[in-house]
Amino acid sequence: MGLFQVPCPSGRYWRVEAGDTLYLIALRIGTTVDELLRLNRGVDPYNLQIGQVLCLPPEPPCPSGVYWEVAPGDTLYSIARVTGTTVEKLLELNPHVDPYNLQVGQKICLPG
């Protein structure tokens, strides 16, 4: 069986690494497990394989085109402080982000 039964419409992919779950991948990229399953028909969510390639949905639009990549220890408050904005503005631009569960490597859209 090939990587995908149909081409990946977004052209965005994720290579599964040790410890990855669909839930953690969904959190990191700002989508849902259901959306990942819809895009990757036939994937067993309970048996992801290291090196397996998953199709991702299109990246949510970011009006400024400027992102912050979450590092260990980052909080929305610390990101807002460093970038000169507010937590409220970051949440407005990133409605899919759980402010209490940021993931290292997750992209946060910043205001322009």
Short mmCIF file of all heavy atoms in Angstrom, two decimals, residues 6-60:
data_model
loop_
_atom_site.label_atom_id
_atom_site.label_comp_id
_atom_site.label_asym_id
_atom_site.label_seq_id
_atom_site.Cartn_x
_atom_site.Cartn_y
_atom_site.Cartn_z
N VAL A 6 -5.17 8.84 -1.85
CA VAL A 6 -5.39 10.01 -2.69
C VAL A 6 -4.28 11.01 -2.36
O VAL A 6 -3.71 10.96 -1.28
CB VAL A 6 -6.78 10.66 -2.43
CG1 VAL A 6 -7.89 9.73 -2.82
CG2 VAL A 6 -6.93 11.09 -0.99
N PRO A 7 -3.96 11.91 -3.29
CA PRO A 7 -2.93 12.90 -2.97
C PRO A 7 -3.32 13.73 -1.75
O PRO A 7 -4.50 13.93 -1.47
CB PRO A 7 -2.87 13.76 -4.23
CG PRO A 7 -3.52 12.96 -5.30
CD PRO A 7 -4.51 12.06 -4.61
N CYS A 8 -2.33 14.21 -1.05
CA CYS A 8 -2.57 15.06 0.12
C CYS A 8 -2.84 16.48 -0.38
O CYS A 8 -1.94 17.13 -0.92
CB CYS A 8 -1.35 15.03 1.04
SG CYS A 8 -1.54 15.99 2.54
N PRO A 9 -4.08 16.97 -0.24
CA PRO A 9 -4.45 18.26 -0.84
C PRO A 9 -3.63 19.45 -0.32
O PRO A 9 -3.39 20.39 -1.06
CB PRO A 9 -5.92 18.43 -0.51
CG PRO A 9 -6.31 17.33 0.40
CD PRO A 9 -5.19 16.34 0.45
N SER A 10 -3.20 19.40 0.93
CA SER A 10 -2.48 20.55 1.49
C SER A 10 -1.00 20.55 1.12
O SER A 10 -0.34 21.59 1.19
CB SER A 10 -2.59 20.53 3.01
OG SER A 10 -1.83 19.45 3.55
N GLY A 11 -0.48 19.37 0.76
CA GLY A 11 0.96 19.28 0.51
C GLY A 11 1.78 19.32 1.80
O GLY A 11 3.00 19.43 1.77
N ARG A 12 1.11 19.22 2.94
CA ARG A 12 1.78 19.23 4.25
C ARG A 12 1.78 17.83 4.82
O ARG A 12 0.75 17.15 4.79
CB ARG A 12 1.06 20.17 5.23
CG ARG A 12 1.11 21.62 4.84
CD ARG A 12 0.35 22.49 5.84
NE ARG A 12 0.97 22.42 7.15
CZ ARG A 12 0.29 22.39 8.30
NH1 ARG A 12 -1.02 22.44 8.32
NH2 ARG A 12 0.92 22.34 9.46
N TYR A 13 2.92 17.41 5.34
CA TYR A 13 3.06 16.06 5.84
C TYR A 13 3.70 16.05 7.22
O TYR A 13 4.38 17.00 7.61
CB TYR A 13 3.93 15.22 4.89
CG TYR A 13 3.36 15.15 3.50
CD1 TYR A 13 3.74 16.06 2.52
CD2 TYR A 13 2.42 14.19 3.17
CE1 TYR A 13 3.21 16.00 1.25
CE2 TYR A 13 1.88 14.12 1.90
CZ TYR A 13 2.28 15.03 0.94
OH TYR A 13 1.74 14.96 -0.32
N TRP A 14 3.50 14.95 7.93
CA TRP A 14 4.10 14.73 9.25
C TRP A 14 4.72 13.34 9.24
O TRP A 14 4.05 12.37 8.92
CB TRP A 14 3.03 14.79 10.33
CG TRP A 14 3.56 14.65 11.72
CD1 TRP A 14 3.89 13.49 12.37
CD2 TRP A 14 3.83 15.70 12.63
NE1 TRP A 14 4.35 13.76 13.62
CE2 TRP A 14 4.31 15.12 13.80
CE3 TRP A 14 3.70 17.08 12.56
CZ2 TRP A 14 4.68 15.87 14.91
CZ3 TRP A 14 4.06 17.84 13.65
CH2 TRP A 14 4.54 17.23 14.81
N ARG A 15 6.00 13.25 9.58
CA ARG A 15 6.64 11.95 9.71
C ARG A 15 6.59 11.55 11.19
O ARG A 15 7.08 12.26 12.05
CB ARG A 15 8.09 12.00 9.23
CG ARG A 15 8.75 10.62 9.25
CD ARG A 15 10.10 10.60 8.56
NE ARG A 15 10.05 11.02 7.17
CZ ARG A 15 9.71 10.25 6.14
NH1 ARG A 15 9.35 9.00 6.35
NH2 ARG A 15 9.71 10.71 4.91
N VAL A 16 5.96 10.42 11.47
CA VAL A 16 5.74 9.96 12.85
C VAL A 16 7.08 9.65 13.51
O VAL A 16 7.93 8.98 12.93
CB VAL A 16 4.81 8.72 12.87
CG1 VAL A 16 4.68 8.16 14.27
CG2 VAL A 16 3.44 9.07 12.29
N GLU A 17 7.23 10.16 14.73
CA GLU A 17 8.41 9.91 15.55
C GLU A 17 8.00 9.16 16.80
O GLU A 17 6.81 9.11 17.14
CB GLU A 17 9.09 11.23 15.93
CG GLU A 17 9.62 12.00 14.73
CD GLU A 17 10.24 13.33 15.13
OE1 GLU A 17 10.32 13.65 16.33
OE2 GLU A 17 10.66 14.05 14.21
N ALA A 18 8.97 8.60 17.51
CA ALA A 18 8.69 7.88 18.74
C ALA A 18 7.89 8.76 19.69
O ALA A 18 8.21 9.94 19.87
CB ALA A 18 10.00 7.44 19.40
N GLY A 19 6.83 8.21 20.26
CA GLY A 19 6.01 8.95 21.22
C GLY A 19 4.86 9.72 20.60
O GLY A 19 4.00 10.22 21.32
N ASP A 20 4.84 9.86 19.28
CA ASP A 20 3.74 10.58 18.63
C ASP A 20 2.43 9.81 18.75
O ASP A 20 2.40 8.59 18.65
CB ASP A 20 4.02 10.79 17.14
CG ASP A 20 4.95 11.95 16.84
OD1 ASP A 20 5.24 12.74 17.77
OD2 ASP A 20 5.40 12.07 15.69
N THR A 21 1.36 10.56 18.97
CA THR A 21 0.00 10.03 18.88
C THR A 21 -0.78 11.00 18.01
O THR A 21 -0.36 12.15 17.82
CB THR A 21 -0.68 9.95 20.27
OG1 THR A 21 -0.83 11.30 20.77
CG2 THR A 21 0.12 9.12 21.25
N LEU A 22 -1.89 10.56 17.46
CA LEU A 22 -2.70 11.48 16.65
C LEU A 22 -3.15 12.66 17.49
O LEU A 22 -3.20 13.79 17.00
CB LEU A 22 -3.91 10.77 16.05
CG LEU A 22 -3.63 9.84 14.87
CD1 LEU A 22 -4.94 9.32 14.28
CD2 LEU A 22 -2.79 10.50 13.79
N TYR A 23 -3.44 12.43 18.77
CA TYR A 23 -3.87 13.52 19.65
C TYR A 23 -2.76 14.57 19.79
O TYR A 23 -3.01 15.77 19.65
CB TYR A 23 -4.26 12.96 21.02
CG TYR A 23 -4.61 14.04 22.01
CD1 TYR A 23 -5.80 14.74 21.92
CD2 TYR A 23 -3.73 14.37 23.04
CE1 TYR A 23 -6.13 15.74 22.82
CE2 TYR A 23 -4.04 15.37 23.94
CZ TYR A 23 -5.24 16.05 23.83
OH TYR A 23 -5.55 17.05 24.72
N LEU A 24 -1.52 14.13 20.05
CA LEU A 24 -0.41 15.08 20.22
C LEU A 24 -0.09 15.80 18.91
O LEU A 24 0.20 17.00 18.90
CB LEU A 24 0.83 14.37 20.75
CG LEU A 24 0.75 13.92 22.21
CD1 LEU A 24 1.99 13.13 22.58
CD2 LEU A 24 0.56 15.11 23.13
N ILE A 25 -0.17 15.08 17.79
CA ILE A 25 0.07 15.72 16.49
C ILE A 25 -1.00 16.77 16.24
O ILE A 25 -0.70 17.90 15.83
CB ILE A 25 0.09 14.66 15.36
CG1 ILE A 25 1.29 13.72 15.54
CG2 ILE A 25 0.14 15.34 13.99
CD1 ILE A 25 1.23 12.47 14.68
N ALA A 26 -2.27 16.42 16.50
CA ALA A 26 -3.37 17.37 16.30
C ALA A 26 -3.18 18.61 17.16
O ALA A 26 -3.36 19.74 16.69
CB ALA A 26 -4.71 16.69 16.61
N LEU A 27 -2.79 18.43 18.43
CA LEU A 27 -2.54 19.57 19.31
C LEU A 27 -1.43 20.46 18.75
O LEU A 27 -1.54 21.68 18.75
CB LEU A 27 -2.11 19.09 20.69
CG LEU A 27 -3.17 18.87 21.74
CD1 LEU A 27 -2.52 18.38 23.03
CD2 LEU A 27 -3.99 20.11 21.99
N ARG A 28 -0.37 19.84 18.31
CA ARG A 28 0.79 20.59 17.85
C ARG A 28 0.48 21.43 16.62
O ARG A 28 0.97 22.53 16.48
CB ARG A 28 1.95 19.64 17.57
CG ARG A 28 3.19 20.39 17.14
CD ARG A 28 4.40 19.54 17.14
NE ARG A 28 4.84 19.38 18.51
CZ ARG A 28 5.79 18.56 18.90
NH1 ARG A 28 6.40 17.81 18.02
NH2 ARG A 28 6.14 18.47 20.15
N ILE A 29 -0.34 20.90 15.72
CA ILE A 29 -0.59 21.63 14.47
C ILE A 29 -1.92 22.38 14.46
O ILE A 29 -2.25 23.03 13.47
CB ILE A 29 -0.49 20.70 13.24
CG1 ILE A 29 -1.60 19.65 13.27
CG2 ILE A 29 0.89 20.06 13.15
CD1 ILE A 29 -1.78 18.94 11.96
N GLY A 30 -2.68 22.27 15.55
CA GLY A 30 -3.93 23.03 15.63
C GLY A 30 -5.07 22.45 14.84
O GLY A 30 -5.78 23.16 14.13
N THR A 31 -5.25 21.13 14.94
CA THR A 31 -6.38 20.49 14.26
C THR A 31 -6.98 19.47 15.22
O THR A 31 -6.72 19.50 16.41
CB THR A 31 -5.94 19.85 12.92
OG1 THR A 31 -7.10 19.48 12.18
CG2 THR A 31 -5.03 18.66 13.10
N THR A 32 -7.79 18.57 14.69
CA THR A 32 -8.43 17.55 15.51
C THR A 32 -8.00 16.16 15.05
O THR A 32 -7.58 15.97 13.90
CB THR A 32 -9.97 17.64 15.41
OG1 THR A 32 -10.35 17.36 14.06
CG2 THR A 32 -10.47 19.02 15.82
N VAL A 33 -8.16 15.19 15.94
CA VAL A 33 -7.89 13.80 15.58
C VAL A 33 -8.83 13.39 14.45
O VAL A 33 -8.41 12.72 13.50
CB VAL A 33 -8.05 12.88 16.81
CG1 VAL A 33 -8.02 11.40 16.40
CG2 VAL A 33 -6.96 13.18 17.84
N ASP A 34 -10.09 13.79 14.52
CA ASP A 34 -11.06 13.44 13.47
C ASP A 34 -10.61 13.94 12.11
O ASP A 34 -10.75 13.24 11.10
CB ASP A 34 -12.45 14.00 13.79
CG ASP A 34 -13.14 13.22 14.91
OD1 ASP A 34 -12.71 12.08 15.22
OD2 ASP A 34 -14.11 13.76 15.48
N GLU A 35 -10.06 15.16 12.06
CA GLU A 35 -9.59 15.71 10.78
C GLU A 35 -8.39 14.90 10.27
O GLU A 35 -8.29 14.61 9.08
CB GLU A 35 -9.23 17.19 10.93
CG GLU A 35 -8.72 17.84 9.66
CD GLU A 35 -9.73 17.94 8.53
OE1 GLU A 35 -10.90 17.57 8.69
OE2 GLU A 35 -9.33 18.39 7.43
N LEU A 36 -7.48 14.53 11.15
CA LEU A 36 -6.33 13.71 10.73
C LEU A 36 -6.79 12.35 10.21
O LEU A 36 -6.28 11.86 9.19
CB LEU A 36 -5.35 13.52 11.89
CG LEU A 36 -4.57 14.77 12.30
CD1 LEU A 36 -3.71 14.48 13.53
CD2 LEU A 36 -3.71 15.29 11.16
N LEU A 37 -7.78 11.76 10.87
CA LEU A 37 -8.30 10.47 10.41
C LEU A 37 -9.00 10.62 9.06
O LEU A 37 -8.89 9.74 8.20
CB LEU A 37 -9.26 9.88 11.44
CG LEU A 37 -8.58 9.35 12.71
CD1 LEU A 37 -9.63 8.98 13.76
CD2 LEU A 37 -7.69 8.16 12.39
N ARG A 38 -9.71 11.73 8.87
CA ARG A 38 -10.40 11.97 7.58
C ARG A 38 -9.38 12.06 6.44
O ARG A 38 -9.60 11.54 5.35
CB ARG A 38 -11.21 13.26 7.66
CG ARG A 38 -12.08 13.51 6.43
CD ARG A 38 -12.76 14.87 6.48
NE ARG A 38 -11.84 15.97 6.32
CZ ARG A 38 -11.27 16.33 5.17
NH1 ARG A 38 -11.51 15.67 4.06
NH2 ARG A 38 -10.45 17.37 5.12
N LEU A 39 -8.25 12.71 6.71
CA LEU A 39 -7.22 12.90 5.68
C LEU A 39 -6.36 11.67 5.47
O LEU A 39 -5.65 11.57 4.47
CB LEU A 39 -6.32 14.08 6.06
CG LEU A 39 -6.95 15.46 5.96
CD1 LEU A 39 -6.07 16.50 6.64
CD2 LEU A 39 -7.21 15.83 4.51
N ASN A 40 -6.38 10.75 6.43
CA ASN A 40 -5.50 9.58 6.38
C ASN A 40 -6.32 8.31 6.58
O ASN A 40 -6.13 7.56 7.52
CB ASN A 40 -4.42 9.71 7.46
CG ASN A 40 -3.52 10.89 7.23
OD1 ASN A 40 -2.61 10.84 6.44
ND2 ASN A 40 -3.80 11.98 7.94
N ARG A 41 -7.23 8.07 5.63
CA ARG A 41 -8.10 6.90 5.72
C ARG A 41 -7.26 5.64 5.79
O ARG A 41 -6.27 5.50 5.09
CB ARG A 41 -9.03 6.86 4.52
CG ARG A 41 -9.93 8.10 4.44
CD ARG A 41 -11.24 7.80 3.76
NE ARG A 41 -12.04 9.00 3.58
CZ ARG A 41 -12.75 9.58 4.53
NH1 ARG A 41 -12.74 9.10 5.73
NH2 ARG A 41 -13.47 10.65 4.28
N GLY A 42 -7.66 4.74 6.66
CA GLY A 42 -6.96 3.47 6.79
C GLY A 42 -5.85 3.49 7.84
O GLY A 42 -5.28 2.46 8.16
N VAL A 43 -5.54 4.67 8.39
CA VAL A 43 -4.52 4.75 9.44
C VAL A 43 -5.11 4.23 10.74
O VAL A 43 -6.21 4.62 11.12
CB VAL A 43 -4.01 6.20 9.60
CG1 VAL A 43 -3.22 6.37 10.89
CG2 VAL A 43 -3.17 6.60 8.41
N ASP A 44 -4.37 3.35 11.41
CA ASP A 44 -4.80 2.85 12.71
C ASP A 44 -4.28 3.81 13.77
O ASP A 44 -3.09 3.86 14.04
CB ASP A 44 -4.23 1.45 12.93
CG ASP A 44 -4.65 0.86 14.27
OD1 ASP A 44 -5.24 1.57 15.11
OD2 ASP A 44 -4.37 -0.34 14.48
N PRO A 45 -5.18 4.59 14.40
CA PRO A 45 -4.73 5.59 15.37
C PRO A 45 -4.07 4.98 16.60
O PRO A 45 -3.37 5.67 17.34
CB PRO A 45 -6.00 6.35 15.73
CG PRO A 45 -7.11 5.41 15.40
CD PRO A 45 -6.63 4.57 14.25
N TYR A 46 -4.27 3.69 16.82
CA TYR A 46 -3.69 3.03 17.99
C TYR A 46 -2.39 2.30 17.66
O TYR A 46 -1.80 1.68 18.54
CB TYR A 46 -4.70 2.04 18.58
CG TYR A 46 -6.00 2.73 18.92
CD1 TYR A 46 -7.13 2.55 18.14
CD2 TYR A 46 -6.08 3.60 20.01
CE1 TYR A 46 -8.32 3.21 18.44
CE2 TYR A 46 -7.26 4.26 20.31
CZ TYR A 46 -8.37 4.06 19.53
OH TYR A 46 -9.53 4.72 19.82
N ASN A 47 -1.97 2.40 16.40
CA ASN A 47 -0.76 1.69 16.00
C ASN A 47 0.02 2.50 14.97
O ASN A 47 0.32 2.01 13.88
CB ASN A 47 -1.13 0.30 15.45
CG ASN A 47 0.08 -0.58 15.27
OD1 ASN A 47 1.10 -0.40 15.93
ND2 ASN A 47 -0.02 -1.52 14.34
N LEU A 48 0.36 3.75 15.31
CA LEU A 48 1.19 4.55 14.42
C LEU A 48 2.59 3.95 14.37
O LEU A 48 3.09 3.46 15.39
CB LEU A 48 1.27 6.00 14.90
CG LEU A 48 -0.03 6.79 14.91
CD1 LEU A 48 0.24 8.22 15.39
CD2 LEU A 48 -0.68 6.81 13.54
N GLN A 49 3.21 4.01 13.21
CA GLN A 49 4.54 3.43 13.03
C GLN A 49 5.57 4.55 12.88
O GLN A 49 5.33 5.52 12.13
CB GLN A 49 4.57 2.55 11.78
CG GLN A 49 3.56 1.42 11.81
CD GLN A 49 3.84 0.42 12.91
OE1 GLN A 49 4.97 -0.04 13.08
NE2 GLN A 49 2.83 0.12 13.71
N ILE A 50 6.70 4.42 13.57
CA ILE A 50 7.77 5.41 13.42
C ILE A 50 8.16 5.46 11.94
O ILE A 50 8.32 4.42 11.29
CB ILE A 50 8.98 5.04 14.31
CG1 ILE A 50 8.59 5.18 15.78
CG2 ILE A 50 10.18 5.91 13.98
CD1 ILE A 50 9.62 4.67 16.76
N GLY A 51 8.23 6.67 11.40
CA GLY A 51 8.56 6.87 9.99
C GLY A 51 7.34 6.95 9.09
O GLY A 51 7.45 7.36 7.94
N GLN A 52 6.18 6.57 9.61
CA GLN A 52 4.94 6.67 8.84
C GLN A 52 4.68 8.12 8.49
O GLN A 52 4.96 9.01 9.29
CB GLN A 52 3.80 6.10 9.68
CG GLN A 52 2.46 6.05 9.02
CD GLN A 52 1.43 5.37 9.93
OE1 GLN A 52 1.66 5.12 11.10
NE2 GLN A 52 0.28 5.07 9.36
N VAL A 53 4.18 8.38 7.28
CA VAL A 53 3.93 9.75 6.84
C VAL A 53 2.42 9.99 6.82
O VAL A 53 1.66 9.21 6.25
CB VAL A 53 4.53 9.99 5.44
CG1 VAL A 53 4.22 11.40 4.96
CG2 VAL A 53 6.04 9.76 5.47
N LEU A 54 2.02 11.08 7.48
CA LEU A 54 0.61 11.44 7.54
C LEU A 54 0.37 12.73 6.77
O LEU A 54 1.20 13.63 6.79
CB LEU A 54 0.18 11.65 9.00
CG LEU A 54 0.36 10.47 9.95
CD1 LEU A 54 0.01 10.89 11.37
CD2 LEU A 54 -0.49 9.29 9.51
N CYS A 55 -0.78 12.80 6.14
CA CYS A 55 -1.21 14.02 5.45
C CYS A 55 -1.80 14.97 6.49
O CYS A 55 -2.58 14.54 7.35
CB CYS A 55 -2.25 13.67 4.40
SG CYS A 55 -2.95 15.09 3.54
N LEU A 56 -1.42 16.24 6.42
CA LEU A 56 -1.92 17.24 7.35
C LEU A 56 -2.89 18.18 6.64
O LEU A 56 -2.78 18.39 5.43
CB LEU A 56 -0.77 18.07 7.92
CG LEU A 56 0.30 17.30 8.68
CD1 LEU A 56 1.38 18.27 9.17
CD2 LEU A 56 -0.29 16.53 9.83
N PRO A 57 -3.81 18.80 7.40
CA PRO A 57 -4.70 19.79 6.79
C PRO A 57 -3.92 21.07 6.48
O PRO A 57 -2.81 21.26 6.98
CB PRO A 57 -5.75 20.03 7.88
CG PRO A 57 -5.06 19.70 9.16
CD PRO A 57 -4.07 18.61 8.83
N PRO A 58 -4.51 21.94 5.68
CA PRO A 58 -3.84 23.23 5.42
C PRO A 58 -3.59 23.97 6.73
O PRO A 58 -4.35 23.84 7.69
CB PRO A 58 -4.84 23.99 4.56
CG PRO A 58 -5.82 22.98 4.08
CD PRO A 58 -5.81 21.84 5.04
N GLU A 59 -2.51 24.73 6.76
CA GLU A 59 -2.20 25.52 7.94
C GLU A 59 -3.26 26.61 8.11
O GLU A 59 -3.66 27.24 7.15
CB GLU A 59 -0.82 26.16 7.78
CG GLU A 59 -0.24 26.63 9.07
CD GLU A 59 1.25 26.82 9.00
OE1 GLU A 59 1.94 26.03 8.35
OE2 GLU A 59 1.70 27.81 9.58
N PRO A 60 -3.73 26.81 9.37
CA PRO A 60 -4.71 27.88 9.57
C PRO A 60 -4.12 29.22 9.11
O PRO A 60 -2.93 29.45 9.26
CB PRO A 60 -4.93 27.89 11.10
CG PRO A 60 -4.42 26.57 11.58
CD PRO A 60 -3.37 26.14 10.61
#
